[in-house]
Amino acid sequence: MTLTTRLTAAAFGLALSSTAAFADCADLTVEDRFDLEEDQIVTLYECLEAKMAEGYAKEGDEIGSNFRSWAPTATRGAIQGAHGTRILNTFANDIAAEQYLKFADEGVNMPVGSILAKESISLSIKKKKARPGPLFIMTKMEAGSIPETGDWLYAGLQPNGKVMKVKQSFCHDCHAAYEDSDFLAYPVEEVRLGQ
């Protein structure tokens, strides 16, 4: 066996073992996503964290490439019920952080230029797997620029960094329930920073 053949075989074996390790750490053993314990959620996040960051940044999107340097809003990802069967973890840019991290239920008026990026892990109980989900993005625009959404622009990136097609009304129909907090929902209380 030549040196090149041995190196190729070794690289192939390493690729297979890293794929197997990824598959093992992203396996689900619960029958309902709400049955996941805190340590299981942390393990899934740690398993997929690098893959999510790499994927969101793949197409060079500025938010997808930089959001992890923003202020975290929670101690860990959590299942919240919103955004389907996903573990969610939100980051706030410098403009949004001070107001958002108050987690106020009323009288909230986010400053123009606020951006929130919510990474997600999709959970398939049927397939018993977790995998990177979309990066959901909300940007506060100038007053009166999008009155039908309270001046929020909803966007997203697929796990491969490609821009999602987002129907504004689809997103805002859910966020409309949070009118008193400027259409913002927050991480569940047990994971909020400073709570």
Side-chain angles (χ1 to χ4, degrees):
M1 184 182 283
T2 68
L3 178 60
T4 303
T5 305
R6 282 186 292 199
L7 289 174
T8 301
F12 182 70
L14 182 60
L16 284 178
S17 67
S18 68
T19 301
F22 168 74
D24 292 342
C25 71
D27 287 348
L28 295 176
T29 57
V30 296
E31 296 300 319
D32 186 297
R33 68 186 188 275
F34 291 109
D35 291 339
L36 283 168
E37 299 290 334
E38 177 180 340
D39 62 328
Q40 292 171 305
I41 292 171
V42 169
T43 298
L44 288 171
Y45 185 82
E46 288 173 352
C47 171
L48 298 172
E49 182 176 15
K51 186 174 178 76
M52 287 189 297
E54 180 184 322
Y56 298 144
K58 193 172 188 174
E59 295 290 316
D61 182 87
E62 185 176 344
I63 294 171
S65 299
N66 297 304
F67 75 95
R68 287 244 183 102
S69 67
W70 299 354
T73 66
T75 57
R76 63 171 173 82
I79 296 172
Q80 301 181 206
H83 290 265
T85 56
R86 303 178 196 283
I87 295 170
L88 303 171
N89 196 17
T90 304
F91 296 82
N93 73 350
D94 289 344
I95 298 169
E98 182 179 350
Q99 179 63 46
Y100 187 84
L101 290 170
K102 293 176 183 177
F103 304 116
D105 290 327
E106 55 186 39
V108 178
N109 187 13
M110 295 297 289
V112 172
S114 294
I115 305 174
L116 301 166
K118 185 180 300 282
E119 61 186 358
S120 68
I121 296 174
S122 296
L123 305 173
S124 174
I125 299 302
K126 184 177 179 180
K127 293 180 181 178
K128 300 289 188 196
K129 290 286 181 200
R131 61 182 173 76
L135 178 68
F136 301 103
I137 303 166
M138 288 178 69
T139 304
K140 185 67 174 204
M141 307 302 283
E142 293 287 336
S145 61
I146 318 172
E148 62 274 15
T149 64
D151 301 318
W152 284 102
L153 176 65
Y154 300 96
L157 297 174
Q158 295 288 357
N160 62 4
K162 294 192 183 300
V163 175
M164 291 174 59
K165 292 180 177 148
V166 175
K167 187 174 182 182
Q168 298 298 299
S169 62
F170 178 80
C171 296
H172 193 69
D173 285 351
C174 289
H175 282 266
Y178 304 100
E179 185 174 5
D180 290 340
S181 58
D182 199 4
F183 305 105
L184 297 173
Y186 301 116
V188 291
E189 287 190 36
E190 65 264 19
V191 301
R192 290 179 189 173
L193 279 179
Q195 298 289 303

